[in-house]
Amino acid sequence: MLCGREPARAVIGRVATSFAELPDDLGLSGVEDQRWWPGDGGQADGPLRWPGYGDQLSRTEAATGERESVVCGVAEIGGVTAVLVAFEFGFLGGSLGTRTGARIEQAFTHARELRLPVVSLVATGGSRMQEGTLALMQLPRIARQITLTREAGLPHVAVLRDPTTGGGWATLGAGADVVLGLRGAQVGFAGSRVRPPGYSVTQQFAAGLVDQLMPPEELPGRLERWLRMLTTSPSGPAPVPAALGQATLPKTGWDAVVRARTLGRPRAKAYLATYFDWHEPINGDRGGGVDPGVLCGFGHRDGQTIAYAAQCGTATRPAGFRTAARLVRLADRLGIPVLTLVDTPGAANDAGAEKAGVGAAIADMFTAVAAARVPVTTLVIGEGGSGGALAFAAPDRMWVTPDSYFAVISPELATAILKRDPAQARRTADQLRLRPQDLVELGVAQGIAQLDQSVDQATAR
């Protein structure tokens, strides 16, 4: 099994068809120039002169065959060349020391020089006690490498093995673009020796901090798919999906509202299944929240990678807006076009949503779409309720389906705001001009998506 305690080279052998280790030429500077490692002619017990540390390192080297807690090199994974950073848990619990930081820095630098993605196979107990604060200072060093790699537009995928704790989780793990977790792994900032054990990758997934959970045997195939998607060159905007529901247009505004609210009409999952050859989801807002009513991820369609953010017909919660914004920003950084599917009665407005910052979350999504340099394509597939729907929409590339509507607010609430009799909701719906054909005529939508027709035929009627 691909557990944390399996040797690093065995894990590499399971996920990669070839591997060339980087030379151990670290270009160390400052305190590291003392070359205090055994055999280097320096202080064998390290920068703190920790009693017995040198002997411990010598025994660990002999037992593992490794000189450090990470093995770094260039690998082929499913036909994609990537830089691998694999932790050797048998080497002092995969702990981070000064030489570990130097190796990781070298690996990320090499990835940028060759324009390669990075895969971190993490299994670590945290920073190395025998090197004290100097070991802790490797965390900002690693964080800088992650930041530089992001700025270079290169993807970073992390795999959480058992355990993933301390600084390894707080940098290479939680700081990756896509975080894959192996079931059963202990994942948390504090390790089991400094708090009660048991905090698992499953709990981190539920909190929106891990994108996918999988059994170890699924990792090679899933990693291949992710690397293929995140490194595919874009070939233009996301095509407009074909409509899946009604073929005829609604006669009245209220007809449009009733259609969009019909339980049996096609929803986001049906559209994604039809649109993509295959797709992989991301999960959560990285701040402790998950909205099951928003689906986000990357999909493969006719050789092209397209990112997607799709509402599922429920009131969108703050975590949903933040997850979608994360998706749009990641896609933009990697140059991947985005498809959004709009279907919501509006943003959640209960006390919990307000406390979680729903207004700020909507603003975050508006800003992400507005700032995107990649094309964003939108299809309204159901209800388009006010700002909660509009935040997911590209104002210059929005299409609608025959069984959708888009309005400043629901007809019922508009009627209440206007102090009309509730029975006037149907008339208000007509006055709002929320039907698909109205939206095209008003210039809000580019056209109406048709059944079983290509994007070029998604035109106004």
Side-chain angles (χ1 to χ4, degrees):
M1 293 184 65
L2 288 162
C3 64
R5 280 54 187 268
E6 187 176 28
R9 294 181 193 273
V11 180
I12 294 170
R14 291 180 185 271
V15 300
T17 55
S18 66
F19 177 74
E21 188 172 359
L22 293 177
D24 201 7
D25 180 14
L26 303 180
L28 303 177
S29 60
V31 68
E32 293 158 357
D33 272 341
Q34 296 175 24
R35 306 294 286 180
W36 46 263
W37 273 63
D40 288 338
Q43 173 60 46
D45 284 334
L48 303 187
R49 293 179 171 81
W50 190 281
Y53 183 36
D55 291 339
Q56 187 179 18
L57 289 170
S58 296
R59 292 194 301 271
T60 300
E61 282 191 31
T64 64
E66 306 293 350
R67 296 195 69 218
E68 243 310 322
S69 59
V70 289
V71 178
C72 304
V74 178
E76 289 291 322
I77 302 175
V80 178
T81 305
V83 168
L84 273 185
V85 176
F87 278 73
E88 172 57 68
F89 192 79
F91 196 103
L92 300 182
S95 57
L96 292 159
T98 53
R99 194 173 176 93
T100 323
R103 283 194 172 190
I104 293 172
E105 181 179 63
Q106 179 195 36
F108 274 82
T109 300
H110 195 67
R112 291 194 300 275
E113 291 172 349
L114 297 183
R115 302 292 304 167
L116 298 177
V118 178
V119 175
S120 296
L121 303 172
V122 188
T124 174
S127 299
R128 194 169 298 169
M129 299 299 99
Q130 299 91 331
E131 297 183 31
T133 306
L134 290 175
L136 188 66
M137 292 305 296
Q138 302 313 301
L139 304 188
R141 181 182 195 175
I142 294 169
R144 174 165 173 75
Q145 293 306 310
I146 293 172
T147 300
L148 291 174
T149 303
R150 284 179 179 172
E151 292 175 350
L154 298 171
H156 174 205
V157 179
V159 177
L160 310 182
R161 297 154 60 210
D162 181 40
T164 297
T165 62
W169 165 233
T171 53
L172 291 169
D177 298 320
V178 175
V179 182
L180 309 179
L182 299 186
R183 291 190 180 276
Q186 177 193 168
V187 178
F189 184 64
S192 60
R193 293 192 179 184
V194 295
R195 58 141 174 82
Y199 209 79
S200 72
V201 69
T202 303
Q203 292 166 298
Q204 300 285 6
F205 177 79
L209 301 169
V210 173
D211 288 309
Q212 292 186 355
L213 293 179
M214 66 197 70
E217 59 269 18
E218 289 185 10
L219 177 61
R222 198 74 65 87
L223 195 55
E224 287 180 16
R225 282 163 64 123
W226 271 110
L227 289 176
R228 282 178 59 190
M229 285 192 297
L230 298 181
T231 59
T232 299
S233 299
S235 57
V240 180
L244 299 180
Q246 296 273 358
T248 60
L249 295 174
K251 293 182 179 180
T252 69
W254 189 250
D255 288 339
V257 172
V258 171
R259 277 194 191 186
R261 293 176 179 174
T262 299
L263 293 178
R265 68 165 172 80
R267 304 277 172 160
K269 287 185 178 180
Y271 274 90
L272 295 176
T274 303
Y275 188 77
F276 289 116
D277 303 323
W278 44 266
H279 59 281
E280 294 286 350
I282 65 168
N283 172 68
D285 65 359
R286 291 295 191 268
V290 175
D291 181 357
V294 173
L295 304 177
C296 295
F298 293 83
H300 189 268
R301 174 188 169 93
D302 297 332
Q304 181 181 9
T305 298
I306 297 169
Y308 63 87
Q311 294 169 315
C312 298
T314 58
T316 302
R317 305 202 64 79
F321 290 110
R322 293 190 177 107
T323 303
R326 175 168 80 91
L327 180 280
V328 171
R329 290 193 177 101
L330 175 56
D332 187 52
R333 180 155 49 80
L334 299 178
I336 297 172
V338 178
L339 170 71
T340 62
L341 300 179
V342 171
D343 185 8
T344 180
N349 58 9
D350 56 88
E354 292 290 357
K355 186 176 181 180
V358 65
I362 294 171
D364 191 34
M365 183 59 176
F366 269 123
T367 302
V369 173
R373 296 159 296 180
V374 296
V376 180
T377 301
T378 298
L379 180 64
V380 185
I381 63 172
E383 289 195 83
S386 195
L390 190 60
F392 272 67
D396 57 341
R397 283 188 57 81
M398 182 167 72
W399 279 260
V400 290
T401 63
D403 48 8
S404 69
Y405 79 86
F406 213 119
V408 62
I409 200 167
S410 73
E412 296 92 338
L413 293 179
T415 301
I417 290 170
L418 295 171
K419 298 181 180 179
R420 292 177 174 177
D421 187 284
Q424 296 295 310
R426 292 174 180 244
R427 181 168 70 92
T428 303
D430 287 331
Q431 292 177 318
L432 288 172
R433 299 200 64 192
L434 48 72
R435 299 177 303 169
Q437 58 267 45
D438 295 327
L439 298 170
V440 174
E441 185 177 338
L442 291 170
V444 173
Q446 302 297 305
I448 300 172
Q450 303 301 312
L451 299 177
D452 302 321
Q453 293 184 354
S454 68
V455 59
D456 295 333
Q457 294 170 298
T459 55
R461 281 174 48 180

